Amino acid sequence: MLRFLAGKILRALATILFVVTFAFVVLRLSGDPALMMMGPEAPPDAIAAFRAAWGLDQPLWRQYLDYFGAIAQGDLGVSMRDRKPALGLVLERLPITLALMLPALAVKLLVGIPAGIYAALHRDTWIDRTTMAFSVAGYSVPNFVLGLLLVLLFAVNLRWLPSSGAESWRHAILPVIVLGTAGAGILARFTRSTMLEVLGQPYVRTAIAKGVPWYRVVNWHALPNAAIPTVTVVGFMVGSLIAGAVVTESVFAWPGIGRQLVLAVSQRDVAVVQVILLLVAGSMVASNFTVDLLYGWLDPRVRTAPKLEP
Amino acid sequence: MPADATANSAAPPPVAAWRRVRRALAGCPLFVGICIAWLVGTVAVALTVELISPYHYAQIDLRARLQPPVFLGGEWRHFLGTDELGRDVASRLFYSIRMSLLVALLGTAIGAAIGTLLGFVAAHFRGWVDDLVMTFVDFQASMPFMIIALSVLAFFGNSLPLFIALMGLFGWERYTRLVRGMTLSAKEHGYAIAIRQLGASPWRVYGRHILPNIASVLIVNITLNFPEHIILETGLSFLGLGVQPPLTSLGNMVGHGREYLQSAWWIAVFPGLAIVFTTLSMSIVGDWARDRLDPTLR
């Protein structure tokens, strides 16, 4: 168990190291920060002074270590546009994004998982086919197209709901539907296929053969085992809560982190982009780590068996 | 395994190939047939854009601004209407279909090639090379690709070659996982061992013998990956961060038509529907192909 845990922690750290290195390399490759900040017409001695002040005249490995040090201390640079610390600017938007993403997550789970289970239990009936048709449609239709079609119908033609902004809960309805549809589609499909796989296992057959009532086979033998792989997908959804709504937030002018990211990219506000990149990486790593631990806890085979070759 | 047959007859005569396509299509449900027809149609549009477009995609006609499509009382000469600069929506739609298909196809192809190669590399060398490749795979799989794409675009700015290269990085990790796993098991099969014993080079073993045997699973993955590429490309272009004007993609058209949703919905809705039909068709065909081709599902 300890070895299992150590391996997972090592992997989580490796991913963080990777993302930070990625940010550093890309930042250095994308142009001279001194020129970017001060413009090409700045006098040479001013640029030299700027370089000395920010440590840009140091050797690259030194800059790399300093960069790590700065990140470890929470110093993530200053937004080039607002001249405020980038971390604060991004964290300000976090509750706004979560106000959209948490209800959307609830929709995904409450619609997707029961639909998948239901479809698996009624395999090859019209219910199954209809559910799967909705599921394929749900994740094949891009968020922005679905969003615009809903705006056209409910905001422009019927005038029931506002088309953009974040003033009241009514503004959240359409984006939550859009975000929930795609996720519910993916989840329904995934739940269905893991459920079918479990229902084909020998222990389920044994349970049926020895006369266990059907509802008990489903609730006791099938569902807990089918839940294990589903944890991975749900974990990915939880991890991407912060960043999952880039396109949808832009469609509905929802002032969250996704929209901030798009604006920062188009203005090349590198510090803000970097903060969001690191935050997303951090939350993905944290959720993957949790999923791995949950997995080890739910499925003893994972932590005791020797590493399986796929 | 049916794939063995393809491996042995490297160059079947064209008649047989055509018959095989027909046999494969004969059993497909009507719905899948409609989807295949739509996909063939979009490819045909993409290939013949210059011939079938009534106008150039950037041709401005300020006297014919915001004209409705023909079924809403517009004229036949702009049968899908015009946008706010009087550009013909149908012509722009055709050119956009070509651009979106091109970017998605190139992206899918690059991703499949990189992923397959890395999968072979990992399975061939094992040891630390394998570990390194799989660490990359884990990293790529654990980050939402949209975020990576946006950061690269923020840091480097945008150009069409960079954008296509970026699209090529999307989804490679799935091929690597698949190819690595299947190669590890294929290497222990009699045919691979025999070929190796006969002194074939690794290129020959992997390229001529193992690849054809695992190709069906890869093809299925490609068909499932392709719609995601379309969604990513059109999404980024919709945000104004993908294909840059004056070039046009389906995402650009939707993004820009969105400002006229109240007065001229056709600017955004036609390209939007084109995206939906294309991704939906591809997903349905992909699912159908997987049920038929993927031996692990039987």
Side-chain angles (χ1 to χ4, degrees), chain B residues 28 55 85 94 104 120 143 217 223:
Chain B
C28 82
Y55 302 89
L85 294 171
F94 294 157
F120 281 141
M143 283 293 285
V217 178
T223 56

Side-chain angles (χ1 to χ4, degrees), chain A:
Chain A
M1 185 67 198
L2 211 63
R3 237 186 109 175
F4 170 77
L5 204 67
K8 294 301 171 198
I9 292 177
L10 214 63
R11 177 145 281 182
L13 287 179
T15 311
I16 297 269
L17 185 74
F18 226 83
V19 176
V20 173
T21 310
F22 172 78
F24 176 79
V25 170
V26 172
L27 212 64
R28 285 296 169 277
L29 280 179
S30 63
D32 188 342
L35 288 178
M36 268 162 85
M37 289 294 281
M38 308 183 65
E41 295 95 37
D45 50 332
I47 289 181
F50 180 90
R51 284 205 171 122
W54 291 93
L56 295 170
D57 50 354
Q58 302 283 334
L60 212 56
W61 62 268
R62 187 66 199 273
Q63 288 187 35
Y64 184 57
L65 290 182
D66 287 348
Y67 183 73
F68 260 93
I71 287 178
Q73 291 168 19
D75 173 14
L76 289 164
V78 174
S79 162
M80 296 210 256
R81 202 166 55 97
D82 293 1
R83 306 270 159 203
K84 287 185 199 152
L87 184 62
L89 283 177
V90 175
L91 288 180
E92 262 171 33
R93 306 288 191 99
L94 186 59
I96 308 177
T97 286
L98 289 182
L100 206 57
M101 295 304 282
L102 289 177
L105 182 68
V107 171
K108 291 175 199 174
L109 297 179
L110 294 178
V111 176
I113 293 181
I117 295 172
Y118 198 75
L121 294 179
H122 298 82
R123 188 184 186 178
D124 288 337
T125 60
W126 67 271
I127 300 177
D128 180 23
R129 290 202 198 97
T130 318
T131 315
M132 283 306 108
F134 271 105
S135 155
V136 174
Y139 68 77
S140 299
V141 176
N143 281 349
F144 63 97
V145 176
L146 181 62
L148 284 187
L149 293 179
L150 290 179
V151 165
L152 195 59
L153 181 63
F154 291 106
V156 176
N157 283 335
L158 297 172
R159 298 184 185 280
W160 288 352
L161 291 168
S163 65
S164 64
E167 284 88 52
S168 72
W169 62 271
R170 285 161 51 86
H171 290 83
I173 295 178
L174 289 181
V176 166
I177 293 178
V178 168
L179 288 167
T181 308
I186 293 172
L187 212 50
R189 198 184 158 81
F190 194 80
T191 311
R192 175 182 178 271
S193 64
T194 53
M195 192 70 188
L196 283 179
E197 203 167 292
V198 169
L199 287 175
Q201 293 290 320
Y203 55 80
V204 170
R205 219 177 324 145
T206 312
I208 298 172
K210 71 180 187 189
V212 177
W214 178 239
Y215 71 90
R216 218 178 130 84
V217 172
V218 171
N219 289 335
W220 277 72
H221 298 259
L223 279 182
N225 286 300
I228 297 174
T230 312
V231 166
T232 317
V233 182
V234 175
F236 192 85
M237 287 176 175
V238 172
S240 56
L241 278 179
I242 294 183
V246 174
V247 174
T248 311
E249 282 185 1
S250 299
V251 171
F252 293 99
W254 188 271
I257 292 180
R259 195 166 152 69
Q260 187 179 33
L261 177 61
V262 172
L263 284 178
V265 170
S266 55
Q267 293 160 346
R268 299 193 71 179
D269 193 343
V270 179
V272 172
V273 175
Q274 177 193 318
V275 168
I276 297 178
L277 181 68
L278 292 176
L279 271 185
V280 171
S283 74
M284 286 310 296
V285 166
S287 84
N288 277 346
F289 186 64
T290 318
V291 165
D292 282 340
L293 290 189
L294 267 178
Y295 233 96
W297 180 61
L298 288 170
D299 189 350
R301 284 171 303 180
V302 176
R303 57 172 193 262
T304 52
K307 205 177 167 193
L308 289 172
E309 288 302 346

Side-chain angles (χ1 to χ4, degrees), chain B residues 70-81:
Chain B
V70 69
F71 52 85
L72 286 180
E75 296 168 42
W76 267 109
R77 105 197 147 87
H78 299 292
F79 62 95
L80 292 183

